[in-house]
Amino acid sequence: MNGNNSVITFKLSDKKKRGLLLTTIFSAIFGATIIWFSRSLPFGSGKLILSLIGIFIIIITCFCIYAYYLLAQEKFAAIYISDEGMIDKSTGNQIGTVLWKDVESIKVMDDISSNMKQKYLVLKVVNPNEYIDREPNRSKKRSLELRFQYYGSPICFSNRALNCTFDELKSAVFTKYEAYRMNHPSTS
């Protein structure tokens, strides 16, 4: 955690950074191996399909390299919590800054899926559809809609990919949110 200039920053965990790097390396090797193997096949015996699969995996590898590059440019910062709001880059959604003025309440909820030990911070906002509509990717937008249905808000995050405990994350979010509410009583 870094708290410079009233911005608290949490970074990606080393496990997540290694996971992305290893995924990138293995997908590059796997894609190249499939392409190399497909070259030795006679035409018509799956050569085209294997070549296409290999090319697709290499394209995924390029996206992984680009994602790793962007994360490295940000020094692997995943969540920024400021006096105005917060930005969560750990989930991969592009909803931008969640402004404290839009937040009605914050609650802690258990994960509804298979991992009941996992906890989420859920920021209930007055304009959930505005945040959902910020996501340009259709499948990620659907994921935000499902979160809205299940948790009552599309804005849910945990410490799963972060280098902090859930209590540290929760404390930072509640501290900044309460400070905002103290300084802006008309929005409470």
Side-chain angles (χ1 to χ4, degrees):
M1 178 174 76
N2 180 11
N4 295 342
N5 297 330
S6 105
V7 174
I8 300 169
T9 304
F10 291 102
K11 294 186 177 211
L12 283 179
S13 68
D14 289 339
K15 181 180 175 183
K16 287 294 178 181
K17 289 188 274 188
R18 276 192 310 273
L20 179 58
L21 185 60
L22 289 174
T23 299
T24 303
I25 291 168
F26 286 126
S27 66
I29 292 169
F30 188 60
T33 302
I34 288 176
I35 291 171
W36 178 79
F37 178 72
S38 70
R39 289 181 30 177
S40 65
L41 292 175
F43 188 77
S45 59
K47 182 175 187 159
L48 179 63
I49 291 174
L50 275 181
S51 296
L52 291 174
I53 290 171
I55 290 169
F56 180 72
I57 292 172
I58 295 296
I59 290 170
I60 289 173
T61 301
C62 293
F63 282 116
C64 288
I65 291 168
Y66 183 66
Y68 200 84
Y69 169 77
L70 292 177
L71 288 168
Q73 290 292 317
E74 293 273 337
K75 297 184 169 100
F76 297 98
I79 291 185
Y80 300 93
I81 307 168
S82 72
D83 296 334
E84 290 80 35
M86 64 178 290
I87 300 172
D88 176 18
K89 295 184 176 205
S90 67
T91 59
N93 292 317
Q94 298 179 24
I95 57 173
T97 303
V98 178
L99 299 172
W100 296 131
K101 70 180 181 101
D102 292 341
V103 177
E104 290 179 328
S105 64
I106 301 174
K107 55 188 171 181
V108 176
M109 295 183 74
D110 291 326
D111 187 352
I112 61 169
S113 66
S114 60
N115 189 1
M116 292 303 284
K117 293 179 185 175
Q118 188 69 47
K119 301 250 185 235
Y120 282 102
L121 280 175
V122 179
L123 278 62
K124 186 170 183 196
V125 291
V126 295
N127 49 353
N129 289 324
E130 178 184 318
Y131 285 96
I132 292 170
D133 290 340
R134 291 180 185 177
E135 174 57 62
N137 183 295
R138 194 171 148 124
S139 63
K140 288 182 180 181
K141 187 179 281 199
R142 180 66 183 138
S143 144
L144 292 173
E145 291 167 347
L146 289 172
R147 285 184 193 168
F148 183 41
Q149 286 179 336
Y150 293 127
Y151 296 109
S153 175
I155 304 163
C156 309
F157 54 94
S158 71
N159 68 316
R160 187 179 316 194
L162 304 176
N163 67 345
C164 65
T165 66
F166 184 78
D167 289 334
E168 290 171 329
L169 178 62
K170 181 175 115 178
S171 174
V173 170
F174 274 98
T175 299
K176 288 293 188 179
Y177 178 61
E178 292 302 323
Y180 176 84
R181 286 181 41 163
M182 295 274 293
N183 292 328
H184 301 85
S186 63
T187 60
S188 303

